[in-house]
């Protein structure tokens, strides 16, 4: 007989079992998170203390309410001095923000209400709705004292509110004096605490960029000028660009950075401003340096001083360049082989290279390595036949390379290159100087 075996129960996962497991995992992780977020004994005491202060701040007795608000202010100031995350007092007061604002609306006008508004202005930095500008609203309704005592994060937040409010009021044509009063307090604070960028941004937002000249001090003016130049590159209008560059120029003049002031004046393409920079500078060496800058920019300016006029015209540029090369000991002409360093290569069977192409390459290397020196070992030597070792277009390029060798040297260069103008060979003629312009 066949024995009957007992049935074995096989567990089958119910439908939706996987989803249930995920939910359970989420609940477990949430519980773990809550456990991790349990307050320490010190934080719990702090929270209870702040909740008690919130109740006392609503006390009918003005003395009790004021003392409570002063204690809250002390707690907030001690926590916002270095804000790397949301401070615990602000975090613990967040559930009570609506209660405090409702109580504020019911309060009678007076010093206590204005002080209450100061506290609400701080709380609004993290608790108000975006775009509501509550922080600025309560600051304007408050005592207007101790604005900068609340730290950089509060200053940065309220600066953004001021910029938005200023734009809105300007469009409506309403008064902005109360906003400018806040700006006058914020900007010097930022400048003293190495926040020049925030200060300049705020001044530009309220159309007071000229104020930078009066409040910027010597330790910070260079950073301010560099930022103004950067702003000028992205200015919305040409008028703003000119304004930023002029402010930077005036700052450089104020602290006797004349070459940088000249750069700003040249960017503005303002002849009067360029002349003013020169007249302000009394150091002869600096004047010469600025004349070289003008020469480089090819800016036309009338000089009464003959030496400065000669420098700015670029007439002696070749002479100065050669003198510099002598001091650096690089004036000695170099051959292309010295650049190739072919003597360091491993000796192997020479590849078949077209000699004309090789000579053309040598012509270009020779021109670049000896550029501006007015002498070399291939083209400028007496009775040189190097140009004829090239073919067709190579001859034209080789003659043209003389322009780099004789760069800026008008007196030395013209006689050497002018002979090719009258050559019968079209390639040599094409590489030489253009023919003289004939009259109509």
């Amino acid at each position: 007989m066949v024995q009957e075996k007992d049935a074995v129960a096989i567990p089958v996962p119910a439908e939706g079992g996987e989803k249930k497991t995920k939910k359970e995992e989420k609940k477990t992780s949430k519980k773990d998170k809550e456990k991790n977020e349990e307050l320490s004994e010190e934080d719990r005491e702090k929270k209870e203390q702040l909740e008690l202060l919130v109740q006392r701040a609503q006390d009918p007795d003005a003395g009790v309410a004021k003392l409570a608000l002063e204690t809250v202010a002390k707690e907030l100031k001690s926590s916002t001095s270095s804000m790397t995350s949301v401070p615990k007092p602000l975090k613990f007061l967040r559930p009570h923000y609506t209660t405090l604002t409702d109580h504020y609306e019911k309060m009678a006008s007076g010093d206590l209400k204005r002080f209450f508004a100061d506290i609400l202005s701080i709380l609004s930095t993290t608790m108000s709705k975006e775009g509501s500008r509550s922080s600025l609203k309560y600051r304007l309704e408050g005592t207007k004292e101790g604005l900068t005592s609340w730290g950089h994060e509060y200053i940065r937040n309220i600066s953004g509110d001021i910029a938005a409010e200023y734009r809105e009021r300007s469009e409506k044509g309403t008064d902005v004096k109360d906003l400018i009063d806040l700006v006058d307090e914020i900007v010097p604070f930022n400048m003293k605490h190495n926040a020049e960028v925030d200060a300049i941004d705020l001044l530009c937002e309220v159309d007071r960029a000229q104020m930078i000249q009066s409040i910027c001090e010597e330790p910070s003016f260079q950073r301010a000028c560099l930022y103004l130049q950067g702003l000028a590159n992205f200015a919305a209008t040409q008028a703003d660009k000119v304004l930023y560059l002029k402010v930077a120029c005036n700052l450089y003049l104020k602290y006797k950075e004349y070459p940088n002031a000249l750069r700003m004046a040249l960017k503005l393409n303002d002849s009067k401003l360029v002349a003013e920079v020169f007249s302000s500078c009394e150091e002869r060496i600096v004047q010469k340096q600025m004349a070289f800058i003008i020469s480089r920019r090819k800016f036309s300016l009338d000089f009464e001083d003959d030496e400065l006029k000669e420098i700015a015209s670029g007439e002696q540029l070749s002479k100065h360049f050669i003198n510099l090369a002598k001091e650096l000991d690089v004036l000695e002409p170099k051959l292309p082989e010295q650049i190739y360093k072919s003597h360091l290569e491993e000796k192997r069977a020479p590849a078949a290279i077209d000699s004309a192409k090789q000579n053309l390459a040598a012509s270009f290397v020779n021109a670049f390595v000896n550029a501006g020196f007015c002498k070399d070992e291939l083209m400028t030597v007496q009775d040189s036949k190097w140009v004829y070792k090239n073919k067709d277009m190579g001859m034209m390029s080789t003659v043209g390379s003389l322009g780099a060798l004789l760069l800026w040297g008008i007196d030395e260069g013209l006689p050497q290159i002018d002979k090719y103008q009258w050559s019968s060979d079209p390639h040599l003629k094409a590489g030489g100087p253009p023919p003289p312009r004939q009259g109509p």
Side-chain angles (χ1 to χ4, degrees), residues 83-332:
M83 187 181 289
T84 54
S85 61
V86 178
K88 288 179 180 177
L90 280 175
K91 188 177 179 181
F92 296 151
L93 288 170
R94 181 173 292 172
H96 307 285
Y97 177 69
T98 305
T99 305
L100 291 171
T101 53
D102 291 343
H103 177 71
Y104 171 78
E105 298 298 333
K106 299 173 185 176
M107 291 177 68
S109 299
D111 293 341
L112 182 61
K113 185 173 183 177
R114 284 191 288 273
F115 186 37
F116 205 111
D118 289 347
I119 303 299
L120 287 177
S121 179
I122 304 302
L123 298 179
S124 298
T125 56
T126 59
M127 301 175 194
S128 62
K129 293 181 180 178
E130 187 176 353
S132 63
R133 300 199 283 274
S134 299
S135 184
L136 176 62
K137 170 182 174 290
Y138 290 121
R139 169 52 59 180
L140 293 174
E141 293 175 2
T143 60
K144 299 183 177 64
E145 295 176 0
L147 172 63
T148 58
S149 64
W150 295 101
H152 289 280
E153 288 297 328
Y154 175 68
I155 293 294
R156 189 176 289 113
N157 182 79
I158 203 169
S159 295
D161 288 351
I162 289 171
E165 182 72 15
Y166 182 86
R167 284 194 298 271
E168 187 176 311
R169 291 193 191 183
S170 298
E171 290 172 2
K172 295 179 180 178
T174 53
D175 185 43
V176 294
K177 185 181 181 303
D178 52 349
L179 300 179
I180 299 301
D181 291 340
L182 292 177
V183 171
D184 291 340
E185 190 174 353
I186 291 172
V187 170
F189 173 81
N190 282 336
M191 295 298 287
K192 288 178 182 176
H193 293 82
N194 300 322
E196 299 88 359
V197 170
D198 293 339
I200 293 171
D201 282 341
L202 180 57
L203 287 173
C204 292
E205 289 288 350
V206 298
D207 301 328
R208 296 289 189 280
Q210 299 93 332
M211 276 182 61
I212 302 169
Q213 297 171 211
S214 59
I215 61 174
C216 200
E217 297 179 354
E218 190 167 2
S220 60
F221 88 93
Q222 289 185 335
R223 292 191 295 272
C225 289
L226 288 173
Y227 187 64
L228 284 168
Q229 291 174 57
L231 281 180
N233 293 331
F234 299 98
T237 64
Q238 181 64 18
D240 287 342
K241 180 177 181 178
V242 170
L243 175 62
Y244 301 153
L245 290 176
K246 278 190 175 180
V247 171
C249 183
N250 291 335
L251 277 172
Y252 280 130
L253 281 173
K254 180 179 178 180
Y255 293 104
K256 299 182 179 180
E257 289 273 351
Y258 298 114
N260 286 325
L262 178 64
R263 286 176 47 245
M264 298 300 101
L266 291 172
K267 279 188 177 183
L268 290 165
N269 198 29
D270 190 334
S271 299
K272 290 183 179 178
L273 195 54
V274 172
E276 181 184 341
V277 173
F278 266 94
S279 61
S280 302
C281 179
E282 298 178 355
E283 294 184 45
R284 187 64 176 173
I285 297 295
V286 178
Q287 287 180 342
K288 289 181 179 180
Q289 183 60 45
M290 291 194 295
F292 277 112
I293 294 173
I294 283 184
S295 173
R296 180 67 176 169
R297 292 291 296 270
K298 295 180 172 58
F299 190 86
S300 177
L301 185 69
D302 293 331
F303 287 95
E304 296 180 0
D305 189 299
D306 292 336
E307 187 178 10
L308 294 179
K309 186 176 182 179
E310 185 180 61
I311 293 172
S313 68
E315 294 175 11
Q316 301 298 322
L317 187 57
S318 177
K319 178 183 173 183
H320 294 309
F321 183 75
I322 291 172
N323 287 338
L324 174 62
K326 283 180 181 177
E327 289 190 17
L328 297 175
D329 196 22
V330 294
L331 188 60
E332 189 68 26

Side-chain angles (χ1 to χ4, degrees), residues 56-91:
R56 289 184 176 178
Q58 303 172 62
D59 196 288
D61 189 337
V64 173
K66 185 177 181 181
L67 182 60
L69 289 173
E70 287 174 349
T71 308
V72 170
K74 185 178 178 182
E75 290 287 343
L76 289 172
K77 283 184 179 180
S78 63
S79 65
T80 54
S81 57
S82 58
M83 187 181 289
T84 54
S85 61
V86 178
K88 288 179 180 177
L90 280 175
K91 188 177 179 181

Side-chain angles (χ1 to χ4, degrees), residues 347-358:
K347 291 185 178 180
R348 61 181 68 177
I353 301 175
D354 186 354
S355 61
K357 288 184 178 179
Q358 199 169 7

